Amino acid sequence: MIYRAGHPSAIGGQALTVRTRLYLVRHGEQDPATGHSRNGGLSRLGRDQADRLGRRLRTVPFSAVHHSPLTRAAQTADIVAGHLPDVARHECDFVRDRTPVPSAGQRDSYPDRWLDWLDGVPDDERDEDAIALRAAVDHFGVIGEEDRHELLITHNFVIGWFVRHVLDAPDWRWIGLNQANCAITTVQWDSDRPPTLLSFNDTGHL
């Protein structure tokens, strides 16, 4: 029998567990000389962080590396790719830098103390009611016919949203889930259980 998504087959009366494991990584440190420019590249420290990350992950059997279109994430992916020469990588809009913000009808679901700050999020980062981030979770958080490991080089709030999702926390609870540059957070989907947070903000290689 062949496993189909959502319907694990059985051999000898035992269901086969199939897993999708995502390694969520915030890009390396941005060059402070670029200020808060969205197109700023990596600092010298950021390049070193990316190299250490690549060495840490070089034995993981990745099927793909997905990175945000922003320069600091693309440069991080370039360096990591040197340690993963046989792994396909590509720019991915699903992991672009986004900040979930509540729509007018959902503002009551966020604590009042955060609303002024959320109102100030730039237009090009705003993701109203996390529509794009929910789509990202739906895209990556699926089970195929065999185990899969994928690396997502992305941004702080994107990772926070994935963690919030797997913990089934309130929508606003991505706030405060801060990631260090080039730290590793791993989340996993199994065919026989809810998604799981395996590690959070692992900086052991830095």
Side-chain angles (χ1 to χ4, degrees), residues 20-43:
T20 293
R21 182 173 297 180
L22 304 180
Y23 294 71
L24 307 171
V25 172
R26 186 182 182 185
H27 57 81
E29 181 191 70
Q30 185 172 340
D31 185 347
T34 64
H36 295 290
S37 170
R38 289 180 60 76
N39 292 318
L42 297 179
S43 67

Side-chain angles (χ1 to χ4, degrees), residues 26-27 30 36-38 67-70 72-73 92-100 121-127 132-133 153-159:
R26 186 182 182 185
H27 57 81
Q30 185 172 340
H36 295 290
S37 170
R38 289 180 60 76
H67 66 84
S68 161
L70 298 188
R72 56 193 181 273
C92 178
D93 194 64
F94 279 114
V95 295
R96 178 184 292 275
D97 192 13
R98 292 186 170 92
T99 304
V121 172
D123 289 343
D124 58 353
E125 294 180 20
R126 299 177 70 83
D127 181 12
L133 286 171
I153 299 177
T154 182
H155 303 272
N156 191 34
F157 297 157
V158 177
I159 298 171

Side-chain angles (χ1 to χ4, degrees), residues 24-68:
L24 307 171
V25 172
R26 186 182 182 185
H27 57 81
E29 181 191 70
Q30 185 172 340
D31 185 347
T34 64
H36 295 290
S37 170
R38 289 180 60 76
N39 292 318
L42 297 179
S43 67
R44 180 177 297 179
L45 173 60
R47 292 190 292 272
D48 180 66
Q49 291 168 334
D51 183 65
R52 289 171 179 265
L53 172 68
R55 283 186 274 136
R56 169 76 181 274
L57 296 177
R58 66 183 183 275
T59 61
V60 179
F62 288 116
S63 58
V65 177
H66 314 270
H67 66 84
S68 161

